[in-house]
Amino acid sequence: MELNSPPSRLLLVCADNHLSQRMGQDLQAAGYDPVIATTEKECHLACAEWQPALIIMDRYLGRLNSMELCQRLRQQGISLPILLMLESDRLEDRVAVLESGADDYLLLPYSPKPFLQMIQLYLKPPVSKSEVLRFDDLTLDLLTRRAERNGRTIDLTMKEYELLKFLMEHPREVLTREQILENVWGYDFLGESNVIEVYIRYLRLKIEPDGEKRLIHTVRGVGYVLREA
């Protein structure tokens, strides 16, 4: 973070006062500007008023859980990074996080070091120069992190962007699931996981709607490839 740059404003959605205060203090000490919301209503107001760079959500928010709230935010067009806090990293929990539209998860109990490392990862500034990846009629702007196809702008979440970027950096090359996990997520999921399938489906819905020509192809038993039909 540059010395003269304003601190990144982060929205912490958490009904646990002890946890939110502890996390807020750690964020402030690390040079961030945390805003705390304890309900869905406060979350929506904070998003509109404070325009945070990233949202962190506790799993439970009264009657509403964070995955439901995340889905509602995505449906409203909010594409900034969203991280959810989980009490376990069972396969079904990890997949549910991704199905909700969140970019990643933080495992409880809370630990400041991995928490701040993940924040830094997701707030990493984009490339300083304008660069556009192109494949067929699809373009990806590495500065704005937006895709465009046939004049239609496509908003992407952080993980959708990273996945599409990796595919477009290796056109016509069959990429294994292991390669995708390593390069997009940076770590391996234990056991069988359909995390990649979930995100491929999201990308296809955005990039190939209404019968548009397919660009992302499945290589059964191996992985995926970006190529012409």
Side-chain angles (χ1 to χ4, degrees), residues 40-93:
E40 179 185 8
K41 182 178 180 180
E42 289 179 1
C43 174
H44 288 297
L45 290 174
C47 286
E49 182 175 354
W50 297 107
Q51 298 181 341
L54 181 146
I55 301 176
I56 306 145
M57 294 185 189
D58 195 6
R59 177 67 182 268
Y60 300 106
L61 305 168
R63 296 181 179 179
L64 184 75
N65 68 48
S66 59
M67 296 184 192
E68 294 171 317
L69 178 53
C70 183
Q71 288 177 329
R72 295 181 186 183
L73 293 175
R74 293 303 190 211
Q75 290 167 358
Q76 294 168 7
I78 294 177
S79 59
L80 55 85
I82 299 178
L83 309 179
L84 304 187
M85 291 184 281
L86 294 180
E87 295 175 345
S88 77
D89 61 348
R90 295 176 303 174
L91 173 59
E92 54 266 37
D93 292 325

Side-chain angles (χ1 to χ4, degrees), residues 91-92 94-95 177-178 189-195 197:
L91 173 59
E92 54 266 37
R94 296 194 303 254
V95 172
R177 289 174 174 81
E178 291 75 18
F189 280 78
L190 298 177
E192 288 297 321
S193 171
N194 66 349
V195 57
E197 286 79 357

Side-chain angles (χ1 to χ4, degrees), residues 6 14 62-63 82 103 107 110 174 180 192 201:
C14 181
R63 296 181 179 179
I82 299 178
D103 291 280
L107 192 60
Y110 171 69
V174 177
I180 295 173
E192 288 297 321
R201 184 167 75 249

Side-chain angles (χ1 to χ4, degrees), residues 9-161:
R9 179 165 289 151
L10 310 182
L11 175 58
L12 179 57
V13 186
C14 181
D16 184 330
N17 290 332
H18 176 74
L19 179 59
S20 63
Q21 290 299 321
R22 184 180 176 192
M23 296 174 73
Q25 291 172 358
D26 290 336
L27 288 171
Q28 285 183 323
Y32 299 108
D33 179 16
V35 175
I36 298 175
T38 60
T39 65
E40 179 185 8
K41 182 178 180 180
E42 289 179 1
C43 174
H44 288 297
L45 290 174
C47 286
E49 182 175 354
W50 297 107
Q51 298 181 341
L54 181 146
I55 301 176
I56 306 145
M57 294 185 189
D58 195 6
R59 177 67 182 268
Y60 300 106
L61 305 168
R63 296 181 179 179
L64 184 75
N65 68 48
S66 59
M67 296 184 192
E68 294 171 317
L69 178 53
C70 183
Q71 288 177 329
R72 295 181 186 183
L73 293 175
R74 293 303 190 211
Q75 290 167 358
Q76 294 168 7
I78 294 177
S79 59
L80 55 85
I82 299 178
L83 309 179
L84 304 187
M85 291 184 281
L86 294 180
E87 295 175 345
S88 77
D89 61 348
R90 295 176 303 174
L91 173 59
E92 54 266 37
D93 292 325
R94 296 194 303 254
V95 172
V97 165
L98 301 175
E99 290 277 14
S100 74
D103 291 280
D104 220 321
Y105 69 93
L106 299 158
L107 192 60
L108 295 172
Y110 171 69
S111 178
K113 185 175 180 179
F115 170 68
L116 294 174
Q117 286 176 336
M118 186 170 288
I119 297 296
Q120 291 171 355
L121 173 66
Y122 277 93
L123 293 181
K124 181 173 61 176
V127 291
S128 59
K129 63 180 179 179
S130 179
E131 184 178 350
V132 178
L133 297 178
R134 301 179 186 278
F135 182 81
D136 200 271
D137 56 358
L138 176 67
T139 62
L140 181 65
D141 191 314
L142 302 186
L143 183 60
T144 63
R145 293 175 176 167
R146 285 187 175 182
E148 186 173 308
R149 189 175 189 190
N150 294 325
R152 175 174 54 87
T153 299
I154 305 167
D155 290 320
L156 302 169
T157 66
M158 177 71 75
K159 272 293 182 284
E160 289 169 347
Y161 162 79

